[in-house]
């Protein structure tokens, strides 16, 4: 009985709601209910004693509608809009637009290409307004870049926690791509001339994957000027997908995954394109080197190779963290049907993986390292926050899509794949910007009003710019980061510059944590990867960056009173002072025998490259170093670790004889450093610029003893020698001060073998510092520590002493050579 009653009530409510009027006339409604309203008014008046004034203790800001500052801002905004309309209409005689209004228009706009610039020519990122409100901005490499969160540079614990548990996002639009166009053989010749490791030095499987565009590769870019090349910057190079050329030793044809032109199997004369991504600090130098190499190739072979800069056309977003793949699943929704997308992606970069759903495409276990994925994705602003049916979203998108938009929902997977590369890889293509925000907001408002069965006759169509076309789908490339050690899972998104703000806001709204330059360096040090340019002392960008830091620190020091002003330390570190240590070790003497050796420690303080030497970043160059010095004491490959075989050494020497061996012979009297990771043995915190010294066996036994306490168990130098360890000359150069008279100072003095470039980071679970040490001195130091020890007791790490430049205490540390621990044979990956 109750059930039937409830059913009748529901049917009656439905009938009443269906008969409810769409509009209500207030005047007629009040006339019809006049008696009820009068009775209600009488009841209220009796309760208030006919006093309708609000009590003073219950009053609120009832005059908030009459906000004078808000009125003034509204009037200014209206005047600005009227000025903008007059200027766009051609009326420039009445008044001019102020600088503030021009800057607001410029920052609010979203042109198809190019960066907006300040008065001094410094470019702004498309996310400049968002960063400027939350980060400390700095001028670096021609850009206004976010340095880090406001404050004293702390907060590393929270950032490292986010990198281990959440997801981080970084706007890397300051990385600029250079596009090379020409025959494949000419492009390979240029890459082999400039890059280390060269593409031909990889295995056949890796080489074919890179050449066909299924994956990208990291390398070090060098100058083309003979006879000795100079390192420029770490780069990423990637080929436009094309058909794999058929070789003589192959029976099966390669998979065609692109449309880069026909391939000639006899002479490989096919037109190809490739991108070389260069850091902004070394872009001018790297771009000039590529142009010189193209001109040299043309002079030698007569074949023209075009070199075009894509600055202001493409942007790059970096996402890393354990939840990075989950963030991509929520944000990137393919514009095609899910049945076609997996087959295309499987063909381009996941040939051996079985992909069943679109949501599984970003999982770490299904995609190989350094893979390149091409996708056409929907505008993330069209994806609702609440989960709903995908068909509903696609229907609403198609309904609100303008006729001049470039939507490709009806194309097949192969056509989409071709369209992505056609738009992104063509330097002269017209990259369509996204739909304007006010248009999407107006459409969402109209859909919401229709869902509530309400009409809004006063709604006007929003004003749009004079752009010819706009799109609601974006072509992009997904680059899977190389998995090295404990590095977090990472992705890089390459997309048109006009789409950067759309995806930036989408990632942040879905839980991503934005970081700047300082936070990115913290994460790179935590995982043991180099950060450019701070950890590349052989590059000119490192010298320029450190000199600017030295000038800033000197300016801050001059503001402090002389009584509390810290003494000056050398920035950048005096790398050439290692020559003194090498000469003393080679001569087996504790004193400098002549003034000529002392003069070798001077450094030029000019704006050029202050580092005079080379850095061995590949196993081939390090093996060549061993063969060059022909010494059995250079134990740079432990016997129980990844020591190369004799055949591998011969092969690498034959392949790199024209490059690596000639370079080391030309620099036989210069430094050759290797990158090492420093771990404190018991205690100590290593700062940037700390000096790494060679310990004696007595120092090691003293510092390893657990019962030593106080000053007797420490290795120190006199406090008076801390500020005079390196002496600044009147010319601005720095020299290593080797004591000669004072016996106590002479006994406590330790000679440098390297310097740290990145110190410890607070909050790291296993703190480590990055340093560069001389390979010859490090090998001889290891030989001294291994002598008279069993093979089982020999450690891969080498004991060294580390001292901060403003401290008098040496700390015992374990130095791990990176090239000995990595699975790959190169150390050119930059975080």
């Amino acid at each position: 009985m109750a059930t039937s009653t409830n059913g009748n009530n529901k049917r009656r409510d439905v009938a009443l709601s269906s008969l409810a009027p769409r509009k209500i006339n207030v005047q007629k409604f009040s006339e019809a209910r006049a008696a009820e309203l009068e009775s209600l008014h009488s009841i209220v008046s009796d309760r208030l004693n006919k006093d309708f004034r609000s009590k003073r203790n219950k009053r609120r800001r009832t005059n908030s509608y009459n906000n004078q500052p808000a009125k003034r801002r509204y009037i200014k905004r209206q005047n600005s809009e009227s000025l903008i309309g007059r200027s766009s209409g051609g009326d420039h005689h009445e008044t001019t637009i102020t600088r503030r209004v021009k800057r607001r228009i410029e920052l609010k706009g979203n042109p198809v290409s190019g960066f907006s610039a300040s008065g001094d020519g410094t470019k702004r990122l498309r996310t400049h307004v968002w960063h400027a409100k939350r980060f400390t901005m700095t001028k670096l490499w021609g850009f206004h870049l976010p340095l880090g969160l406001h404050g004293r540079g702390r907060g590393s614990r929270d950032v490292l926690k986010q990198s281990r548990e959440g997801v981080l996002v970084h706007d890397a639009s300051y990385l600029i791509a250079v596009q090379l166009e020409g025959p494949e053989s000419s492009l390979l010749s240029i890459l082999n001339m400039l890059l280390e490791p060269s593409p031909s030095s990889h295995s056949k499987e890796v080489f074919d994957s890179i050449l066909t565009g299924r994956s990208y590769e990291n390398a070090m870019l060098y100058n083309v000027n003979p006879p000795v090349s100079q390192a420029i910057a770490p780069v990423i190079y990637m080929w436009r997908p094309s058909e794999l050329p058929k070789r003589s030793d192959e029976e099966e044809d390669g998979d065609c995954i692109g449309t880069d032109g026909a391939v000639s199997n006899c002479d490989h004369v096919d037109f190809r394109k490739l991108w070389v991504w260069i850091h902004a600090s070394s872009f001018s130098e790297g771009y000039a080197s590529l142009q010189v190499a193209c001109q040299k190739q043309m002079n030698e072979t007569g074949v023209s190779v075009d070199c075009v800069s894509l600055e202001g056309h493409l942007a790059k977003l970096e996402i890393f963290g354990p939840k990075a793949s989950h963030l991509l699943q929520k944000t990137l929704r393919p514009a095609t049907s899910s049945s076609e997308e997996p087959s295309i992606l499987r063909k381009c970069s996941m040939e051996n993986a079985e992909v069943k759903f679109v949501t599984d495409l970003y999982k770490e276990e299904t995609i190989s390292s350094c893979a390149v994925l091409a996708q056409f994705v929907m505008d993330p602003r069209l994806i609702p926050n609440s989960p709903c049916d995908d068909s509903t979203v696609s229907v609403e998108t198609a309904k609100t899509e303008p006729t001049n938009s470039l939507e490709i929902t009806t194309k097949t997977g192969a056509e989409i794949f071709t369209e992505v590369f056609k738009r992104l890889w063509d330097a002269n293509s017209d990259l369509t910007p996204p739909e304007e925000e006010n248009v999407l907001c107006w459409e969402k408002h109209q859909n919401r009003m229709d869902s509530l069965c309400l009409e809004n006759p006063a709604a006007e169509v929003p004003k749009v710019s004079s752009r010819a076309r706009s799109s609601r789908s974006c072509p992009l490339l997904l680059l899977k980061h190389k998995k090295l050690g404990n590095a977090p899972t990472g992705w890089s998104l390459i997309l048109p510059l006009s789409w950067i703000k759309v995806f930036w806001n989408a990632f942040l709204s879905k839980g991503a944590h934005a970081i700047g330059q300082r936070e990115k360096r913290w994460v790179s040090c935590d995982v043991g990867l180099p950060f450019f340019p701070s950890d590349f002392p052989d590059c000119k960008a490192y010298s320029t960056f450190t000199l600017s830091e030295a000038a800033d620190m000197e300016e801050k020091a001059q503001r402090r009173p002389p009584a509390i002003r810290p003494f000056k330390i050398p920035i950048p570190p005096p790398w050439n002072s290692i020559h003194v240590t090498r000469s003393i070790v080679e001569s087996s003497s504790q004193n400098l025998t002549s003034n000529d050796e002392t003069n070798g420690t001077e450094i030029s303080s000019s704006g050029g490259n202050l580092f005079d030497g080379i850095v061995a970043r590949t196993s081939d160059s390090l093996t060549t170093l061993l063969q060059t010095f022909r010494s059995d004491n250079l134990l740079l490959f432990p016997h129980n670790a990844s020591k190369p075989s004799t055949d591998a050494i011969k092969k690498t020497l034959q392949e790199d004889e024209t490059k690596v061996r000639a370079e080391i012979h030309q620099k036989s009297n210069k430094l050759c450093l290797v990158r090492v990771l420093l771990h404190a043995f018991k205690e100590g915190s290593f700062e940037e610029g700390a000096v790494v010294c060679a310990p004696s066996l007595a120092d090691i036994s003293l510092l390893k003893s657990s019962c030593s306490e106080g000053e007797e168990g420490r290795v120190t130098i006199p406090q008076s020698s801390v500020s005079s360890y390196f002496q600044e000359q009147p010319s601005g150069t720095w020299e290593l001060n080797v004591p000669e008279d004072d016996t106590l100072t002479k006994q406590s003095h330790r000679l440098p073998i390297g310097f740290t470039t990145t110190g410890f980071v607070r909050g790291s679970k296993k703190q480590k510092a990055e340093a560069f040490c001389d390979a010859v001195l490090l090998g001889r130091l290891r030989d001294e520590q291994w002598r008279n020890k069993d093979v089982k007791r020999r450690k891969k790490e080498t004991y060294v002493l580390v001292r901060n430049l403003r401290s008098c205490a040496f700390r015992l540390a374990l130095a791990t050579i990176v090239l000995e621990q990595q699975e790959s044979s190169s150390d050119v990956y930059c975080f």
Side-chain angles (χ1 to χ4, degrees):
M1 187 70 181
T3 305
S4 61
T5 304
N6 293 335
N8 295 332
N9 292 335
K10 291 182 179 180
R11 285 193 296 269
R12 184 174 55 192
D13 293 341
V14 171
L16 291 176
S17 61
S18 61
L19 298 177
R22 293 292 303 274
K23 297 180 181 180
I24 298 177
N25 193 325
V26 179
Q27 185 175 1
K28 292 182 179 180
F29 179 80
S30 60
E31 291 177 356
R33 300 293 183 91
E36 298 178 8
L37 293 176
E38 290 178 356
S39 62
L40 180 63
H41 181 270
S42 61
I43 294 173
V44 174
S45 61
D46 293 340
R47 290 182 180 180
L48 297 177
N49 296 325
K50 298 182 181 181
D51 184 7
F52 292 95
R53 294 179 300 177
S54 61
K55 297 182 180 180
R56 183 173 296 274
N57 60 341
K58 294 183 179 181
R59 286 182 182 179
R60 297 295 181 264
R61 297 176 181 177
T62 56
N63 291 330
S64 59
Y65 69 93
N66 192 17
N67 193 347
Q68 297 298 329
K71 278 188 175 181
R72 287 195 295 267
R73 287 194 297 268
Y74 176 76
I75 293 173
K76 286 185 178 181
R77 185 161 54 250
Q78 293 294 329
N79 294 336
S80 300
E81 293 178 358
S82 62
L83 292 176
I84 296 171
R86 293 175 185 175
S87 62
S88 60
D91 187 6
H92 302 281
H93 301 285
E94 295 185 3
T95 183
T96 57
I97 303 177
T98 61
R99 175 185 174 275
R100 180 171 175 269
V101 176
K102 288 182 179 179
R103 183 173 179 270
R104 186 195 307 166
I105 299 171
E106 186 178 7
L107 294 176
K108 190 178 180 180
N110 189 26
V112 178
S113 61
F115 295 97
S116 63
S118 55
D120 57 352
T122 306
K123 295 183 284 292
R124 300 188 185 97
L125 301 177
R126 291 298 175 92
T127 57
H128 173 80
V129 176
W130 191 95
H131 281 107
K133 293 179 179 179
R134 300 163 177 87
F135 285 75
T136 300
M137 305 299 291
T138 181
K139 292 183 181 180
L140 282 176
W141 316 309
F143 285 87
H144 290 283
L145 297 181
L147 179 61
L149 294 175
H150 297 294
R152 298 180 296 168
R154 302 296 180 91
S156 58
R157 289 180 174 86
D158 181 63
V159 173
L160 296 183
K161 182 180 179 181
Q162 289 288 337
S163 67
R164 290 189 291 262
E165 300 177 1
V167 56
L168 302 176
V169 60
H170 178 71
D171 186 3
S173 301
Y174 53 87
L175 299 178
I176 305 172
V178 177
Q179 181 169 301
L180 300 180
E181 305 177 10
E184 182 180 297
S185 58
S186 300
L187 296 180
L188 284 174
S189 178
I190 293 175
L191 295 183
N192 292 329
M193 186 191 313
L194 299 179
L195 299 184
E196 183 188 14
S198 60
S200 58
S201 64
H202 296 286
S203 62
K204 178 180 177 298
E205 182 181 358
V206 176
F207 176 77
D208 292 344
S209 178
I210 298 173
L211 193 62
T212 54
R214 294 195 301 267
S215 62
Y216 68 94
E217 189 56 47
N218 301 88
M220 195 71 186
L221 180 64
Y222 286 83
N223 275 319
V224 74
N225 299 326
V228 179
S229 297
Q230 175 66 44
I232 297 178
V235 298
I236 293 176
Y237 66 96
M238 50 189 297
W239 292 78
R240 174 174 177 171
S242 179
E243 187 180 59
L244 179 64
K246 184 178 179 181
R247 299 184 180 181
S248 58
D249 56 345
E250 294 180 352
E251 296 181 358
E252 298 180 357
D253 296 336
D255 295 333
C256 179
I257 60 171
T259 57
D260 223 7
V263 178
S264 176
N265 295 331
C266 55
D267 53 0
H268 296 265
V269 182
D270 53 336
F271 188 81
R272 297 294 303 275
K273 296 180 181 180
L274 68 90
W275 284 342
V276 181
W277 289 86
I278 309 176
H279 196 273
S281 60
S282 303
F283 175 74
S284 57
E285 187 180 2
Y287 186 42
S289 178
L290 290 172
Q291 288 179 325
V292 172
C294 294
Q295 185 64 34
K296 183 178 179 180
Q297 184 70 16
M298 181 178 179
N299 296 336
E300 293 178 355
T301 61
V303 180
S304 175
V305 177
D306 296 333
C307 183
V308 182
S309 172
L310 299 182
E311 182 180 5
H313 293 274
L314 299 177
K316 192 175 182 182
L317 282 178
E318 295 180 351
I319 304 173
F320 33 85
K323 296 183 180 179
S325 301
H326 182 62
L327 178 65
L328 294 179
Q329 293 177 12
K330 295 191 299 182
T331 309
L332 304 184
R333 181 167 298 184
T336 61
S337 60
S338 59
S339 60
E340 294 176 307
E341 190 69 19
S343 60
I344 299 301
L345 294 181
R346 188 189 308 117
K347 193 172 185 180
C348 68
S349 61
M350 296 180 293
E351 296 177 339
N352 300 326
E354 295 183 0
V355 183
K356 298 181 179 179
F357 303 98
V358 178
T359 56
D360 296 335
L361 292 178
Y362 310 111
K363 288 187 177 180
E364 183 178 359
E365 59 272 10
T366 59
I367 302 179
S368 59
S369 181
C370 298
V372 179
L373 311 179
Q375 277 198 343
F376 242 113
V377 297
M378 289 174 48
D379 191 331
R381 296 172 297 180
L382 300 176
I383 302 176
N385 296 328
S386 59
C388 62
D389 189 10
D390 294 342
S391 60
T392 305
V393 178
S394 60
V395 169
E396 293 181 357
T397 305
K399 182 177 65 174
T400 58
E401 181 71 18
T403 56
N404 58 352
S405 179
L406 300 178
E407 193 65 48
I408 58 168
T409 54
T410 59
K411 294 186 178 181
T412 62
E415 293 175 347
I416 292 169
F417 188 79
T418 304
E419 188 72 17
V420 171
F421 288 99
K422 181 180 178 182
R423 294 192 190 181
L424 291 180
W425 282 91
D426 191 359
N428 299 322
S429 63
D430 185 14
L431 298 176
T432 310
E435 191 68 76
E436 294 187 9
E437 187 72 25
N438 56 350
V439 176
L440 297 180
C441 292
W442 178 79
E443 292 177 355
K444 289 181 180 179
H445 176 69
Q446 292 298 319
N447 293 334
R448 191 178 297 110
M449 296 293 290
D450 294 341
S451 64
L452 297 175
C453 300
L454 297 177
E455 296 180 2
N456 189 10
E460 298 180 358
V461 179
K463 298 179 181 179
V464 296
S465 60
S466 59
R467 289 186 304 201
R469 297 184 300 175
S470 60
S471 177
R472 302 195 180 190
S473 60
C474 174
L476 57 85
L477 295 178
L478 280 169
L479 277 62
K480 176 72 177 296
H481 290 182
K482 183 179 294 186
K483 184 63 176 178
L484 294 174
N486 297 326
T489 304
W491 296 82
S492 292
L493 276 73
I494 298 177
L495 64 163
L497 184 62
S498 58
W499 283 86
I500 195 74
K501 286 195 294 187
V502 174
F503 285 90
W504 178 264
N505 295 329
F507 288 143
L508 293 177
S509 63
K510 289 178 173 57
H513 186 82
I515 60 174
Q517 295 291 322
R518 183 194 297 140
E519 291 88 354
K520 188 179 180 183
R521 187 179 181 184
W522 289 340
V523 178
S524 66
C525 182
D526 181 60
V527 298
L529 295 178
F531 181 77
F532 187 82
S534 303
D535 297 324
F536 289 81
D538 55 337
C539 299
K540 187 177 179 180
Y542 169 82
S543 303
T544 306
F545 180 71
T546 51
L547 286 175
S548 63
E549 281 189 339
D552 295 339
M553 292 184 65
E554 180 66 19
E555 182 181 357
K556 292 180 181 178
Q558 293 298 328
R559 297 174 184 172
R560 305 181 68 178
I564 60 174
R565 185 179 302 168
F567 61 87
K568 191 176 181 181
I569 58 176
I571 299 178
W575 296 98
N576 287 354
S577 62
I578 304 176
H579 281 293
V580 178
T581 307
R582 182 185 289 185
S583 61
I584 292 177
V585 171
E586 290 177 354
S587 60
S588 300
S589 176
Q590 296 297 326
N591 296 322
L592 296 175
T593 57
S594 62
N595 294 330
D596 297 337
E597 296 177 354
T598 306
N599 294 334
T601 63
E602 293 184 359
I603 315 170
S604 174
S605 60
S606 60
N609 189 3
L610 305 184
F611 177 82
D612 189 14
I614 58 175
V615 176
R617 288 193 172 86
T618 60
S619 299
D620 299 339
S621 59
L622 192 56
T623 304
T624 308
L625 174 68
L626 297 175
Q627 298 293 326
T628 303
F629 283 92
R630 299 177 182 177
S631 174
D632 296 334
N633 295 331
L634 297 182
L635 301 176
L636 298 183
F637 287 95
H639 295 287
N640 58 351
S642 56
K643 182 175 181 179
S645 62
T646 305
D647 297 336
I649 294 176
K650 290 181 179 179
K651 182 179 179 180
T652 53
L653 289 177
Q654 291 175 359
E655 293 178 353
D656 296 342
E657 182 178 2
T658 58
K659 181 179 179 180
V660 181
R661 192 171 181 82
E663 180 179 352
I664 294 180
H665 274 299
Q666 291 289 338
K667 296 190 175 185
S668 59
N669 60 338
K670 297 185 179 182
L671 299 177
C672 183
L673 306 184
V674 291
R675 190 170 73 95
V676 299
L677 298 179
L678 299 177
H679 299 271
F681 181 73
K682 288 173 58 178
E683 58 182 358
S685 177
F686 307 147
E687 300 175 353
E688 179 182 354
V691 57
V692 183
C693 301
S696 61
L697 296 179
D699 296 338
I700 298 175
S701 60
L702 178 63
L703 294 175
K704 287 177 64 176
S705 178
S706 59
C707 60
S708 58
E709 298 180 357
E711 296 293 335
E712 297 180 357
R714 301 174 60 189
V715 179
T716 60
I717 60 174
Q719 188 66 35
S720 59
S721 302
V722 175
S723 58
S724 61
Y725 189 84
F726 295 107
Q727 288 185 345
E728 185 179 12
Q729 304 302 311
S731 60
T733 60
W734 290 85
E735 290 184 2
L736 176 64
N737 184 21
V738 180
E740 297 181 358
D741 299 332
D742 192 354
T743 306
L744 179 61
T745 305
K746 185 176 180 180
Q747 291 178 355
S748 61
H749 194 274
R750 300 296 182 271
L751 296 174
I753 62 173
F755 296 92
T756 61
T757 55
T758 301
F760 283 177
V761 180
R762 296 181 179 88
S764 179
K765 291 185 177 180
K766 190 176 181 181
Q767 290 192 340
K768 60 180 73 70
E770 298 187 20
F772 287 85
C773 298
D774 184 74
V776 179
L777 298 176
L778 201 60
R780 290 177 178 174
L781 188 61
R782 172 179 288 178
D783 175 68
E784 180 183 354
Q785 297 177 10
W786 279 11
R787 196 175 300 162
N788 300 327
K789 279 189 177 183
D790 298 336
V791 178
K792 295 182 178 180
R793 296 182 58 190
R794 294 176 179 177
K795 289 187 175 182
K796 298 179 182 180
E797 298 85 0
T798 305
Y799 288 106
V800 294
L801 295 178
V802 183
R803 184 183 66 84
N804 296 328
L805 293 182
R806 289 192 172 94
S807 175
C808 63
F810 287 98
R811 303 295 184 182
L812 187 64
L814 295 173
T816 304
I817 300 177
V818 178
L819 284 177
E820 296 178 353
Q821 305 297 324
Q822 284 186 348
E823 297 179 0
S824 59
S825 60
S826 62
D827 185 28
V828 296
Y829 180 77
C830 178
F831 191 80

